[in-house]
Amino acid sequence: MKKSKEDKQKDAQLSLSEWQVRNKEYLEKKAQEKAKKQAELEQKQAELEKKKEEMKAKLENQEPSNEEHTVSEETDTDSPTSEEETEVQDSETEGEEQEEVQEQEEQEEEVDQLEPPKVPIERIHWYRALPVLVTSSLIFLASLYFLTPLATMKTIEFTGNKVVSQEELKRSSKIDQRDYTVTVYKNRHHYEQNLKASSPWIENVDMTYQFPLTFKIDVQEYGILGYLQKDSKYYPILTSGEYVKNEVAADALPEERMDVTFSDAGLIKEFVQQLKNVPDSVKKSIRKVDLTPSKVTEDLVTITMFDEHQILVPISHIAKKLPYYEGIHPQLEVPSVVDMEAGIFSYAQGTENEVIHEASNDVQDTESSTQHAEQSTEHSAQSQAEKPEISENN
């Protein structure tokens, strides 16, 4: 039975929980303190006995008869008290030992009933604390970064700009050196819109970030299609259809250029939009564009080419009719007028002016007006007959 009980105690010790181990340690400590107190009590008793013996020796030297009587009495009186004290101490120690044994037996029974945990408690706590530790570390590093000057350090580089200066671009972008690098990257599309709206020259802006502190801004500018001629002054007309109100010096003008003499912003924008569908060979041959409206066509323009040929065409029909000039041009031997107002036909310069002049003088004559109408119908029929040939040349 004793062996089986000892085996149980060993098994219980192996499977004891933390609080049980602590309780056991407390009981052992308490037992050690009791043993220490008992040793101190025994030491005191020994000292008392030693003092008694010394007193006894003194009395024997002074009064032998009385000493013997007194020592015998003292021994007689002291003996029962010491015996009683030892008996009390023995009973107390036995009671404490019995209590300890009972407590250990109860603990053994509790340990037998408890099941060992499947997952260690320490590992569970670590897994629970790990997300909190990681999050707090990231927040600490981010706050430390924003407190340092490194958070606002950045380099801005502009490329592709020819007309708009670097200083003007920096001012128009509204990027402050005190802005955080992170916020500049986050709001980069907003800065792109600021640059587009700042100048009519800017067609497109692309802002990119290059690690660690560089922002590259690629600027695309509109080209110059021609120049608005107004009061002997010249203003560039951009490929976007807008003209810039910054005068260009006469010595800075190119020799071969397109001059537009009408200043209506709406007509200029429509004229530029129509020219987008015209071949470059025809656009480069245009020297001057004048607004010459007729009774029928308000947006009729006279286009003078570098080879002195003239084209009459409505602005709204330029994209549709002006490409035919590329096939008509080789057939023109003398400076001619290519009329594209109603149909498409050509004649030598000065011929049609005479006919129009005669017709204007005889407006009240009904016969001349009917003849003019017949001539106009013949011209339209001729233009319809010439259209297939032009398309074949193209």
Side-chain angles (χ1 to χ4, degrees), residues 320-335:
K320 181 180 178 181
K321 294 183 176 180
L322 194 58
Y324 287 113
Y325 177 76
E326 198 171 16
I328 297 172
H329 177 261
Q331 302 175 8
L332 303 176
E333 297 178 356
V334 296

Side-chain angles (χ1 to χ4, degrees), residues 1-11:
M1 291 298 290
K2 289 184 179 179
K3 291 183 179 179
S4 62
K5 191 173 183 180
E6 291 177 356
D7 293 335
K8 284 184 179 181
Q9 289 179 356
K10 290 181 180 179
D11 294 336

Side-chain angles (χ1 to χ4, degrees), residues 125-137:
H125 289 310
W126 173 253
Y127 289 153
R128 289 176 179 175
L130 187 61
V132 178
L133 293 173
V134 172
T135 305
S136 59
S137 301

Side-chain angles (χ1 to χ4, degrees), residues 10 39 60 102 131 206 251 275 281 288 296 311 360:
K10 290 181 180 179
E60 286 177 353
Q102 290 178 358
D206 185 19
D251 56 355
L275 281 180
S281 58
K288 190 176 182 181
V296 180
I311 303 172
S360 62

Side-chain angles (χ1 to χ4, degrees), residues 16-31:
L16 288 176
S17 61
E18 289 184 0
W19 69 269
Q20 291 172 345
V21 171
R22 291 177 182 174
N23 190 14
K24 185 178 180 181
E25 291 176 354
Y26 173 76
L27 293 175
E28 290 177 355
K29 188 176 179 181
K30 189 174 181 182

Side-chain angles (χ1 to χ4, degrees), residues 3 51 72 106 138 146 151 160-162 176 192 205 211 230 236 238 268 271 288 292 298 301 304 328 339 363 370 388:
K3 291 183 179 179
K51 288 180 179 180
S72 62
E106 291 176 357
L138 291 175
F146 283 108
N161 57 307
K162 296 179 181 179
D176 195 343
E192 290 175 355
V205 178
F211 185 83
K230 185 178 181 182
L238 307 180
I268 291 174
F271 173 72
K288 190 176 182 181
T292 56
E298 294 182 355
V301 292
T304 304
I328 297 172
D339 193 341
V363 170
T370 54

Side-chain angles (χ1 to χ4, degrees), residues 86-99:
T86 53
E87 289 177 358
V88 171
Q89 289 176 358
D90 293 336
S91 61
E92 288 178 355
T93 53
E94 289 177 358
E96 290 177 354
E97 289 177 356
Q98 290 178 358
E99 290 178 357

